[in-house]
Amino acid sequence: MSSAGGSSAAEGKDTGGVRAALGGLTTRGRSFLAAGVAAAVCAYVLGQGDLLRVGLLLAVLPLACVAVLYRTRYRVAGSRRLTPSRVPSGSEARVHLRMDNVSRLPTGLLMLQDHVPYVLGPRPRFVLDRVEAGGRREVSYRVRSDLRGRYPLGPLQLRLSDPFGMCELTRAFSAYDTLTVVPRTEALPAVRLAGEASGYGDGRQRSLALAGDDDIIPRTYRHGDDLRRVHWRSTARYGELMVRREEQPQRARCTVLLDTRRIAYQGGGPDSAFEWAVSGAASALVHMLERGFAVRLLTDTGSSVPSEGADGFAGSTQESADSAGLMMDTLAVVDHSDGAGLSRSFDLLRGGNEGLLVAFFGDLDEEQAALAARMRQRSGAAVAFVLDSGTWVTSGAVAGAVDDRLTLLREAGWTALPVPPGAPLSDLWQQAGQQRSESSSSANGFSGGWS
């Protein structure tokens, strides 16, 4: 049973033995059996033949139902399909179940129950009438979660019962499916954050060599290379087949830094400061990928997603799509780290080659604020969203204690903004673009007039 439409079958005969079959007696079946045994004992003591026959009838009926249900042989195949298998938090996904009777015998009354975590809602149960030989039944249910994460669905259980309700046996499919609930994202306005530095931002410059132009440095021939690109002069020089390189245009780069330190956030739940930071990081990742940036996700622990590719950034368009899914899956399960500082992420940043740096910080003490300020030297442009989690717990305005941290970041060249409780990221993103434009205009004005 799988989300791709595959199926698995359960045979009607229970492999657990007669003991398991007797364990499937319902309350009604146990009552009939107990009454029959009691009547038989009383008939033996009192010498009443008629009462003995009644007792035997009461005792044999549930045992006969167990035997018939236990020896019933038919095969039922089940499949599950999720649409979609990855949803934002607060959105619904639909689970489609299909049961196929692949045996030559019709089934009796069937009860289906799918195991789902309670955070997704109540466990769905369905009662199916008699399914003819070769017949099919399809049912569906919806799941929804306000909490991001990865949730297993399954296994699907099939409960069989006899017409008298004396016995119930359960068959379980072994396959599972996984529903991934990713953070909610906001549509962000297209503003200019990265300035005019080459290699990033709206003013990024392409490599002088266009796609397909020859690089003066050849490389060794690889299987599948076009023979028309063989560089014969280098081949004669090195004594092996050499081909001309093709240099691809440089893509704009963006690093999204997420502060996950446990000590940097207070409170919990879908409306907490930490969940806002995770959702903000997801929104920034999606937005920058849509604008053609090569993006990577970096956390305070030093982990980077994607970890391979073009220097850890998403490469081609297909790689970007795969990396986007990988980064969203990472954010779906990201949790607080036990680290106390940002030093690991600082060490991972490379000087002058990061492009745009977008950071989501929790509470910063003086030491961590100074370290974050030095990160600006290792990026082309930097935007920081600073959360004072204490104000999120009290639903108040941003406290004045964060002003010193913002000032320190701004003096280091960051475009730093405080994040009030529940503020939309789209508004803050627009403010960041305006501050960036004002800073650039002021610099141009003092150096040689307004442009």
Side-chain angles (χ1 to χ4, degrees), residues 337-370:
S337 67
D338 295 328
L342 303 170
S343 57
R344 292 184 179 179
S345 57
F346 177 80
D347 294 337
L348 198 60
L349 294 174
R350 291 178 292 274
N353 197 30
E354 292 301 316
L356 175 63
L357 176 60
V358 180
F360 295 84
F361 293 121
D363 296 333
L364 296 173
D365 57 23
E366 185 176 354
E367 179 182 357
Q368 299 308 314

Side-chain angles (χ1 to χ4, degrees), residues 14 33 41 89 115 126 133 145 227 236 281 301 338 373 382 410 446:
D14 194 350
L33 182 60
V41 171
S89 59
H115 282 247
F126 304 95
S145 175
L227 292 178
T301 61
D338 295 328
R410 289 166 181 167
F446 284 115

